[in-house]
């Protein structure tokens, strides 16, 4: 077994131990292996990635994993879940928005997936400490947590989280009851009168007028309902279009390497780079890095860049991309994000739970980039994220030496 161990205090060790025991118990049934074969005396020392790796070794002859790439994205998300409160809230906010579009993280929801089990266990301690008002802010997360804890057996290692659920009451039920009672009363009162009244006294013109009035009222009601429905659909369409305009999937973020860099001929704050994306061509990009890096610092440096920004000149030099950089709050330290070793040149960065094709060219008039970049930041471990979801490549997440930094 591999032995990548977490270094924690006694409280942190207990939390990690309970988390790992819960994952082990839940996955032993899912993946058909004997949990007793796992060295329980040291289970609290494993980080989530190493724990799952050892579990998969135990279950090598058992049930195969489905959607392994998606599972590993969520395992990375769980492994990188921050410990600092503000960063935790920001990560939960991103997950809460993601869960507006889905009931569970992976699968059909009939039974929790491996991803759901691992992420639930990683989030459990922090979520269980949320106040009632915070739980309301993360209503989709709480709905998902409540479903998983009631659907999956974690061997008693994780305490049940009390989730206050709204009680459904039919609208206007009392009014409806009163109306029914009034109608019944009227029928009883008016019944004998209709029997005693001679048929000859019935006015056919009046009856036809009443029928015509009822028909017009029905038609008016139908038109009003149709208008309301059309307004609702238009509002939903507008909301969906606004959300689509600020989705990270619009960006084509790719891995590249800087082959050449030099100072901008007419701007002291700018550098010009030629970046290799593995397609046989070099892309020229102008970056505001001159105050933070020398051209030699950037030579052969691996970077991630947005390649579908609209090409244009910056101080008379053409630029066809945007190198993504992390910056501290004071903007005194700035550095390009670092893709992991092993990530392929030209590979597109992905975000677990966010699907969609990038725009061919971003539309500057829609200000799509300005809407997305406020949600780009590094967590307390320096992992680059969008709303708490890591920038992922085939070799792992992109990072920076600057933690809790903005990314632009």
């Amino acid at each position: 077994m591999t032995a990548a161990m977490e270094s924690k205090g006694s409280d942190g060790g207990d939390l990690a131990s309970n988390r790992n025991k819960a994952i082990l118990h839940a996955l032993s049934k899912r993946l058909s292996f004997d949990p007793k074969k796992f060295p329980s005396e040291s289970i609290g020392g494993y980080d989530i990635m190493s724990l799952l790796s050892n579990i998969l070794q135990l279950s090598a002859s058992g049930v195969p994993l489905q959607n392994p790439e998606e599972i590993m994205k969520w395992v990375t998300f769980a492994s990188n879940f921050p410990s600092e409160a503000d960063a935790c809230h920001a990560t939960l906010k991103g997950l809460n928005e993601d869960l507006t579009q889905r009931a569970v993280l992976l699968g059909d929801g009939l039974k929790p997936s491996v991803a759901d089990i691992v992420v639930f266990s990683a989030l459990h301690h922090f979520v269980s400490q949320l106040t009632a008002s915070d739980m309301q802010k993360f209503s989709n997360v709480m709905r998902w947590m409540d479903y998983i804890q009631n659907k999956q057996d974690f061997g008693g290692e994780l305490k049940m989280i009390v989730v206050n659920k709204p009680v459904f009451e039919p609208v206007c039920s009392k009014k409806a009851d009163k109306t029914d009672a009034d109608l019944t009363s009227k029928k009883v009162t008016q019944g004998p009168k209709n029997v005693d009244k001679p048929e000859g006294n019935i006015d056919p013109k009046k009856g036809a007028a009443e029928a015509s009035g009822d028909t017009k009222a029905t038609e008016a009601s139908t038109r009003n309902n149709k208008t309301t429905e059309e307004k609702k659909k238009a509002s939903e369409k507008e909301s969906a279009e606004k959300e689509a305009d600020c989705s990270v999937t619009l960006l084509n973020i790719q891995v590249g390497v800087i082959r050449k860099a030099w100072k901008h001929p007419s701007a002291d704050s700018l550098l010009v780079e030629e970046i290799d994306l593995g397609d046989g061509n070099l892309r020229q990009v102008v970056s505001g890095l001159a105050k933070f890096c020398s051209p030699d610092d950037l030579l052969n440096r691996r970077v991630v860049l947005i390649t579908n920004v609209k090409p244009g000149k910056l101080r008379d030099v053409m630029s066809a991309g945007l190198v993504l950089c992390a910056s501290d709050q004071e903007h005194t330290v700035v550095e390009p994000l670092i893709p992991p070793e092993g990530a392929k040149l030209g590979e597109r960065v992905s975000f677990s739970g966010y699907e969609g094709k990038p725009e061919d060219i971003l539309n500057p008039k829609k200000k799509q980039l300005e809407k997305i970049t406020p949600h780009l930041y590094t967590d307390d471990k320096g992992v680059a994220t969008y709303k708490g979801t890591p920038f992922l490549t085939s070799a792992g997440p992109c990072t920076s030496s600057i933690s809790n930094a903005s990314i632009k």
Side-chain angles (χ1 to χ4, degrees):
M1 287 190 176
T2 59
M5 312 290 273
E6 291 184 327
S7 176
K8 297 178 178 290
S10 57
D11 291 341
D14 291 340
L15 293 175
S17 178
N18 292 340
R19 176 199 69 197
N20 291 354
K21 286 179 181 178
I23 294 173
L24 182 66
H25 181 87
L27 293 185
S28 65
K29 296 181 179 180
R30 181 59 47 80
L31 302 178
S32 303
F33 67 90
D34 183 1
K36 294 180 180 179
K37 293 182 179 180
F38 201 97
S40 59
E41 67 278 357
S42 61
I43 191 170
Y46 286 87
D47 60 41
I48 293 176
M49 192 70 76
S50 300
L51 176 73
L52 186 61
S53 175
N54 284 301
I55 286 175
L56 293 178
Q57 290 180 33
L58 286 176
S59 64
S61 59
V63 180
L65 286 179
Q66 295 182 345
N67 298 323
E69 292 183 2
E70 285 296 316
I71 288 174
M72 293 313 295
K73 287 180 181 179
W74 284 110
V75 170
T76 302
F77 172 83
S79 300
N80 293 328
F81 189 74
S83 56
E84 196 269 329
D86 289 342
C88 285
H89 278 84
T91 302
L92 278 188
K93 183 179 178 182
L95 180 60
N96 191 67
E97 292 180 5
D98 183 53
L99 285 170
T100 60
Q101 306 294 325
R102 63 177 83 205
V104 292
L105 303 183
L106 279 182
D108 55 17
L110 296 178
K111 60 181 180 180
S113 67
V114 173
D116 288 279
I117 290 169
V118 172
V119 175
F120 174 90
S121 302
L123 269 59
H124 179 274
H125 174 68
F126 181 76
V127 172
S128 66
Q129 316 260 333
L130 291 175
T131 63
S133 61
D134 282 338
M135 287 187 178
Q136 290 179 354
K137 294 177 185 176
F138 306 124
S139 57
N140 294 317
V141 171
M142 297 313 302
R143 179 258 306 158
W144 168 75
M145 294 284 290
D146 190 51
Y147 173 75
I148 300 300
Q149 70 179 357
N150 283 287
K151 194 76 173 175
Q152 181 66 50
D153 177 15
F154 289 94
E157 298 296 339
L158 303 177
K159 294 181 179 179
M160 293 289 286
I161 300 173
V162 178
V163 180
N164 295 321
K165 305 170 189 173
V167 178
F168 173 76
E169 293 183 2
V171 179
C172 301
S173 57
K174 292 183 179 179
K175 183 178 179 181
D177 292 342
K178 182 179 179 182
T179 303
D180 290 342
D182 289 346
L183 288 173
T184 303
S185 175
K186 286 182 179 180
K187 287 179 181 178
V188 172
T189 304
Q190 296 174 357
K193 291 182 180 179
N194 293 334
V195 172
D196 295 337
K197 190 174 182 179
E199 292 184 4
N201 292 337
I202 297 175
D203 185 350
K205 291 183 179 181
K206 183 178 180 182
E210 290 176 350
S212 176
D214 290 344
T215 301
K216 290 180 179 179
T218 301
E219 291 175 351
S221 176
T222 302
R223 284 195 299 271
N224 289 337
N225 290 339
K226 187 176 180 180
T227 302
T228 302
E229 187 67 24
E230 288 174 351
K231 288 181 178 179
K232 182 179 178 182
K233 288 182 179 179
S235 177
E236 290 175 351
K237 182 179 179 181
E238 183 180 355
S239 178
E241 288 175 351
K242 286 182 179 179
E243 185 175 341
D245 278 343
C246 60
S247 171
V248 72
T249 58
L250 295 175
L251 306 183
N252 194 18
I253 305 176
Q254 294 179 267
V255 176
V257 61
I258 297 175
R259 297 301 187 190
K260 185 178 179 182
W262 64 93
K263 292 183 178 180
H264 192 287
S266 58
D268 293 339
S269 62
L270 302 178
L271 295 179
V272 186
E273 306 100 28
E274 287 185 350
I275 301 177
D276 183 0
L277 293 172
D279 58 359
N281 300 312
L282 294 178
R283 180 180 292 253
Q284 182 169 287
V285 176
V286 178
S287 304
L289 289 170
K291 295 180 180 179
F292 310 100
C293 308
S294 69
D296 290 341
D297 293 333
L298 296 178
L299 193 61
N300 295 321
R301 178 161 180 160
R302 294 168 67 83
V303 293
V304 290
L305 64 156
I306 301 174
T307 57
N308 62 338
V309 295
K310 187 175 182 179
K313 290 185 177 182
L314 290 176
R315 300 289 293 272
D316 298 325
V317 175
M318 182 59 69
S319 179
L322 177 66
V323 175
L324 287 174
C325 300
S327 169
D328 63 0
Q329 292 183 354
E330 295 77 20
H331 202 65
T332 56
V333 181
V334 177
E335 66 173 26
L337 294 181
I338 308 166
E341 289 295 329
K344 299 176 182 178
L345 294 183
E347 174 181 349
R348 188 187 176 206
V349 173
S350 63
F351 300 84
S352 182
Y354 294 90
E355 304 296 335
K357 293 183 179 180
E359 295 274 84
D360 292 334
I361 297 294
L362 294 176
N363 187 344
K365 292 182 179 179
K366 292 184 178 180
K367 298 186 177 180
Q368 295 158 312
L369 198 57
E370 290 86 339
K371 295 175 183 177
I372 298 171
T373 50
H375 302 294
L376 304 180
Y377 55 87
T378 63
D379 62 17
D380 59 349
K381 296 179 182 177
V383 175
T385 74
Y386 167 74
K387 294 183 178 180
T389 301
F391 285 53
L392 281 179
T393 71
S394 59
C398 301
T399 58
S400 170
S401 64
I402 311 171
S403 59
N404 299 315
S406 60
I407 297 174
K408 292 182 180 179

